[in-house]
Amino acid sequence: MKTKELKRIVKRLMNDKKYRNMTFDQLSDFIGLSKKKDRQMLSHVLKELEVKCKVEKDGNGTYKKGNGAPKIVGVLRGNQRGFGFVIPDYSIFSEDVFIPEKALHGALDMDTVWVRLTSKPGDKRPEGEVVEIIARGHQKIIGRYQKGKGFGFVVPDNDRLCKDIFIPERRGRKAVTGDKVVTQIVSWSETGKNPEGEILEILGNESEPGIDILSVIKEYDIPMDFSNDVERETNQLSDRISESELEKRRDLRDQQIFTIDGDDAKDFDDAVSLTQTKDGNFLLGVHIADVSHYVRPGSAIDESALERGTSVYVVDRVVPMLPFKLSNDVCSLVPNKDRLTFSCEMEINKDGQVVRYDIFKSVICSKARMTYKKVNALLADRIDEAAELKPFRSELVLMEELHEILRVKRRLNRGAINFDFPEAKILLDNHGFPEEVIIDERLISHRIIEEFMLVCNETIAEHVSKLDAPFIFRNHPEPHPEKLVAFRTFINRYGFKLGKNDDQVPSGHDFQQLVVDIEGKNEERVITLLMLRTMQQAVYEGRNLGHYALGASFYTHFTSPIRRYPDLFVHRYLAKAMTGKINKKSLDYLEKNIDAVASHASETERRAENIEREITKLKMTEYMTRHLGDEFTGRISGVTSFGFFVELENTIEGLVRLQDLKDDYYNYDPDLHQHIGEHRGKMYRLGQEITIKVARADISSKQIDFVPMD
């Protein structure tokens, strides 16, 4: 029986006046479905009809005819002007639903809601009202306290939360006007009135240096401090290495091993070494801090690290995954101190292929703490700028040679895509105000360490994929098909192609060729950004699916266990596998928990990225408050129905609003990503160079507005 036929039978049966509510088994027997696959088909049909509200299932598990009105469940995204949109969480109804302010019925931004459609078929856009609030998206809200007589209000920092929080005096914790506070909602109003809350924590006055950054971190509910249990366990740890532990490890303390990091780095979790074999191959050692030796499964430190998932790095601070005694001391590969490590030694030939590898526990003593700038100076023969690195010159020159082999012969030859975007660095003064926004230059020394970590992660991933146990892998799927079609349509208008056949998924080599084709063109930056947006996000998963952007069949994260929990997890179970300790109990645990751990790691990674993005926007907006009226040159980086975005050379982005273009009426062409003046024909097009003036910089909304100078 086919699905369509079964669907017709179910509909006809339920439309019959004699139909009486039936359970799944009764329906199966009545229709005459005896085969397992037919009963599974019935289950799918009933679920689909239930989503479309053609069928309803009651509390007794019986099915009856539905009313046909689609039940739309989704997440509400608020708007600062009071209305909102619900983004449906299933594909049957794919359009966002507009919710007028009067129809929100107490729902706020990020709430999961059930919506009833109020618009009619044929209306320009679907419109609805909130019938039920299924789950609240915010339990804690960060905002500015404003004191009144006998009460107060908290104005949320998140301008999508359009309701101030009413605070009775007894719940105000003696906050004063201008304090940034953490508020917990104690009662929600379903009539549109303000929710009531209590102040949990006073962060400080909004004018104090660093309070703005702290507010963003708190908004994402990142724990700033470690629990007493974590502190107690941490205080018991020591960097003293026992003789019995040394006997279990390979002693590499006499080898020329060192670290290369940024000037302001505090934790060093990777060190490298390099020699050449008699036949000219390279013997690369990547030595990673053995965090798993100190952080035991189920300990308070481990539970805390799992919850945090990753360290969060922002402009002036780090919120660490591990206590500082571990990350900056006991586990940190500081020079001239014995440290426990997990090593991966790889023999690599002149074609960049790993012909042999060895993974083992070790002890090292780093011979130097090098910085990217000084290594770069030495390799550029500016010896006077890095005189202390002269004893390591031969190793560093050899590393530069190996890096080029790995980059070209290993990665580029197999189709790895190189997204080399300029990154901004924000320099703050003593009061936390951004003095300067500059491009953080990527040096040859950065690329050396990047290539070495990549080949190490791939080698570990291929090794663990052969073990009879689940592991965490770093997977990156192929580009999103719909985005790929839109991207190809866009670049075709500029005379560029992605691959020979638009019906096929492009290879990494196709993307590489496009990068070559657009180099130096006006559209280069825009097309590169759009290229990145066609890509799906890399995720952690409990099975290996390969990494599309790297062109790697196997990839995991092994090289940063101080700041990423997946790396610590891989260390722990790789060590168990090496000593034969992955028994049935371990396998059962992995099979039950690996997907949850991987999914949580992906979520915490996204959270950290969002925090970093929000704080970068905040500081860039603050920086531009001192440049109101100043002129800059940039390129149009995005075109929307309400205007277009312009990105400056230092990556600061601002919006040119359509309402500020007074010289003509502009028509929006979404296909060509442009606005064209109706009378004068002036064009504002994606990728176009443009001179602008800074018109507004609103710190509260993190919004910068530009106006064109022409």
Side-chain angles (χ1 to χ4, degrees):
M1 185 180 295
K2 294 183 178 179
T3 304
K4 286 184 178 179
E5 183 184 352
L6 182 57
K7 203 179 292 183
R8 282 196 297 269
I9 291 172
V10 172
K11 286 180 180 178
R12 193 162 59 243
L13 177 63
M14 292 191 179
N15 284 329
D16 194 312
K17 292 179 181 180
K18 296 178 182 179
Y19 175 76
R20 296 293 179 267
N21 296 353
M22 296 185 192
T23 64
F24 178 83
D25 289 336
Q26 289 169 337
L27 275 168
S28 297
D29 294 340
F30 188 86
I31 298 171
L33 304 178
S34 57
K35 295 180 180 178
K36 183 179 178 181
K37 66 175 184 178
D38 289 337
R39 290 170 69 88
Q40 287 176 338
M41 188 189 302
L42 175 62
S43 177
H44 292 309
V45 165
L46 289 171
K47 283 179 183 176
E48 181 182 336
L49 294 175
E50 194 178 352
V51 167
K52 294 180 178 179
C53 290
K54 303 290 186 183
V55 167
E56 289 183 20
K57 185 180 180 182
D58 63 21
N60 297 320
T62 60
Y63 291 89
K64 65 178 181 179
K65 182 182 176 182
N67 60 18
K71 178 180 179 180
I72 301 169
V73 174
V75 175
L76 174 72
R77 293 315 312 265
N79 184 280
Q80 56 190 358
R81 287 187 282 174
F83 56 83
F85 287 90
V86 169
I87 304 166
D89 59 5
Y90 55 82
S91 59
I92 301 297
F93 195 90
S94 58
E95 288 187 85
D96 295 349
V97 181
F98 174 73
I99 312 293
E101 185 175 5
K102 63 182 180 181
L104 287 169
H105 301 315
L108 297 173
D109 178 62
M110 295 308 293
D111 288 350
T112 301
V113 295
W114 175 13
V115 171
R116 180 178 66 84
L117 285 181
T118 56
S119 55
K120 297 176 182 177
D123 286 353
K124 285 186 177 180
R125 66 178 178 189
E127 188 172 311
E129 68 172 335
V130 174
V131 176
E132 181 184 341
I133 299 168
I134 298 170
R136 290 290 183 178
H138 297 273
Q139 295 301 322
K140 294 178 183 177
I141 293 171
I142 314 300
R144 179 185 186 274
Y145 182 74
Q146 193 165 324
K147 190 168 178 58
K149 248 187 179 178
F151 64 90
F153 280 96
V154 172
V155 181
D157 286 352
N158 181 354
D159 60 3
R160 291 177 179 270
L161 292 166
C162 303
K163 298 288 184 185
D164 296 343
I165 315 302
F166 174 75
I167 308 292
E169 190 170 31
R170 69 183 185 279
R171 292 175 172 157
R173 295 177 76 98
K174 297 183 180 180
V176 298
T177 297
D179 280 348
K180 277 293 181 77
V181 297
V182 181
T183 309
Q184 179 173 279
I185 305 298
V186 295
S187 66
W188 302 86
S189 169
E190 295 184 6
T191 61
K193 292 183 180 179
N194 298 70
E196 185 176 314
E198 66 174 331
I199 293 175
L200 298 179
E201 184 181 356
I202 299 172
L203 303 179
N205 190 273
E206 62 181 346
S207 62
E208 291 177 31
I211 291 298
D212 51 356
I213 292 177
L214 180 60
S215 298
V216 175
I217 294 170
K218 285 284 187 180
E219 186 177 344
Y220 284 88
D221 208 19
I222 296 282
M224 299 292 293
D225 301 310
F226 292 96
S227 69
N228 291 336
D229 288 341
V230 171
E231 294 289 359
R232 186 163 49 252
E233 288 183 2
T234 304
N235 290 334
Q236 293 171 357
L237 298 174
S238 169
D239 63 353
R240 189 181 68 83
I241 304 171
S242 67
E243 287 299 321
S244 60
E245 186 60 39
L246 286 174
E247 290 172 4
K248 300 175 189 175
R249 294 170 178 266
R250 195 175 300 181
D251 194 338
L252 306 179
R253 286 177 290 182
D254 60 340
Q255 290 193 13
Q256 196 86 312
I257 296 173
F258 46 82
T259 62
I260 306 176
D261 291 277
D263 288 346
D264 52 358
K266 299 291 188 297
D267 54 357
F268 313 112
D269 53 9
D270 58 85
V272 290
S273 59
L274 186 64
T275 57
Q276 266 191 306
T277 63
K278 291 179 181 179
D279 55 1
N281 285 349
F282 301 88
L283 196 60
L284 171 65
V286 175
H287 315 280
I288 308 300
D290 190 5
V291 179
S292 63
H293 174 79
Y294 299 97
V295 181
R296 300 299 185 180
S299 65
I301 300 175
D302 184 49
E303 294 296 329
S304 169
L306 173 60
E307 179 192 357
R308 293 166 184 249
T310 179
S311 297
V312 181
Y313 296 86
V314 293
V315 288
D316 68 340
R317 70 192 73 185
V318 58
V319 184
M321 183 182 81
L322 298 172
F324 283 119
K325 184 177 180 180
L326 270 170
S327 59
N328 292 17
D329 182 14
V330 175
C331 292
S332 188
L333 308 182
V334 292
N336 304 316
K337 286 197 176 182
D338 294 351
R339 287 292 184 258
L340 301 182
T341 46
F342 213 152
S343 295
C344 180
E345 194 175 79
M346 297 156 281
E347 184 178 340
I348 303 170
N349 64 20
K350 292 295 180 72
D351 292 323
Q353 302 305 311
V354 178
V355 295
R356 179 186 65 81
Y357 68 85
D358 194 8
I359 303 166
F360 53 91
K361 291 287 187 92
S362 56
V363 57
I364 69 165
C365 182
S366 173
K367 299 300 183 289
R369 179 268 199 264
M370 302 184 189
T371 66
Y372 291 121
K373 288 181 180 177
K374 290 196 173 183
V375 170
N376 198 71
L378 183 121
L379 292 174
D381 289 328
R382 300 196 305 272
I383 307 295
D384 55 322
E385 296 178 32
E388 68 271 31
L389 301 188
K390 285 176 69 176
F392 305 93
R393 192 176 190 283
S394 59
E395 285 91 348
L396 291 171
V397 170
L398 196 61
M399 285 182 175
E400 183 178 18
E401 181 185 345
L402 176 59
H403 132 270
E404 190 64 16
I405 290 171
L406 290 172
R407 186 182 72 85
V408 176
K409 294 190 176 182
R410 182 180 175 88
R411 286 206 302 119
L412 295 184
N413 281 0
R414 73 183 182 202
I417 308 165
N418 187 23
F419 292 112
D420 201 359
F421 290 107
E423 291 188 13
K425 186 171 185 177
I426 302 171
L427 308 177
L428 305 182
D429 64 17
N430 293 332
H431 302 288
F433 193 90
E435 280 186 312
E436 200 174 354
V437 180
I438 60 174
I439 295 298
D440 197 10
E441 186 183 2
R442 273 178 54 77
L443 307 171
I444 187 68
S445 47
H446 288 101
R447 300 177 197 277
I448 287 171
I449 295 301
E450 181 181 272
E451 291 298 335
F452 290 180
M453 297 305 118
L454 285 173
V455 71
C456 176
N457 284 332
E458 286 183 46
T459 301
I460 296 291
E462 186 168 3
H463 176 79
V464 298
S465 70
K466 298 171 184 174
L467 301 176
D468 191 21
F471 273 87
I472 288 182
F473 293 90
R474 180 70 167 175
N475 295 327
H476 185 232
E478 293 178 343
H480 194 282
E482 291 180 10
K483 290 183 178 180
L484 204 51
V485 170
F487 176 68
R488 276 174 156 154
T489 302
F490 174 75
I491 64 171
N492 288 350
R493 292 194 175 98
Y494 288 89
F496 299 110
K497 290 277 290 180
L498 178 61
K500 295 180 180 178
N501 189 340
D502 283 356
D503 294 331
Q504 292 180 350
V505 176
S507 67
H509 292 292
D510 294 330
F511 277 106
Q512 285 178 1
Q513 185 58 51
L514 179 61
V515 168
V516 172
D517 293 343
I518 64 176
E519 187 175 0
K521 307 290 196 303
N522 288 340
E523 301 84 13
E524 179 181 8
R525 172 71 172 160
V526 171
I527 290 178
T528 305
L529 282 170
L530 290 177
M531 189 191 307
L532 180 62
R533 291 170 191 166
T534 66
M535 298 291 167
Q536 300 194 57
Q537 289 183 315
V539 292
Y540 295 108
E541 291 180 297
R543 57 201 174 105
N544 177 62
L545 297 174
H547 198 293
Y548 178 82
L550 292 174
S553 300
F554 307 92
Y555 199 67
T556 190
H557 274 166
F558 172 81
T559 52
S560 293
I562 284 178
R563 63 183 179 89
R564 291 189 305 227
Y565 193 82
D567 305 55
L568 172 57
F569 193 91
V570 168
H571 275 225
R572 180 174 292 150
Y573 286 94
L574 176 57
K576 281 180 176 286
M578 288 167 55
T579 55
K581 291 181 180 178
I582 294 192
N583 51 27
K584 187 177 186 305
K585 185 178 178 181
S586 297
L587 278 173
D588 288 344
Y589 173 82
L590 285 172
E591 287 169 358
K592 287 177 183 176
N593 295 283
I594 192 84
D595 290 332
V597 172
S599 176
H600 177 72
S602 295
E603 289 169 11
T604 54
E605 179 186 44
R606 299 285 101 82
R607 181 178 66 179
E609 289 171 351
N610 289 337
I611 291 171
E612 291 163 18
R613 191 179 302 115
E614 286 293 303
I615 290 174
T616 297
K617 282 171 59 180
L618 171 70
K619 287 300 174 184
M620 285 182 170
T621 307
E622 195 174 358
Y623 173 76
M624 294 306 272
T625 59
R626 288 188 179 173
H627 292 277
L628 296 176
D630 290 354
E631 296 180 21
F632 295 91
T633 299
R635 288 194 183 277
I636 296 177
S637 56
V639 181
T640 71
S641 59
F642 51 83
F644 53 88
F645 291 92
V646 176
E647 185 183 66
L648 309 184
E649 290 181 3
N650 60 6
T651 76
I652 290 178
E653 194 173 56
L655 173 66
V656 175
R657 298 177 186 274
L658 218 53
Q659 64 197 44
D660 290 336
L661 300 179
K662 307 293 187 183
D663 61 329
D664 203 344
Y665 178 81
Y666 285 85
N667 293 304
Y668 171 51
D669 186 335
D671 294 329
L672 292 178
H673 298 264
Q674 64 187 17
H675 288 281
I676 302 179
E678 193 167 280
H679 302 292
R680 299 183 180 183
K682 186 187 291 183
M683 180 187 301
Y684 294 106
R685 191 177 194 181
L686 195 65
Q688 177 182 329
E689 187 174 281
I690 182 173
T691 302
I692 55 84
K693 181 173 71 175
V694 183
R696 289 174 288 273
D698 184 354
I699 295 174
S700 62
S701 63
K702 307 180 189 73
Q703 178 66 58
I704 303 166
D705 287 352
F706 296 152
V707 292
M709 287 306 297
D710 55 355

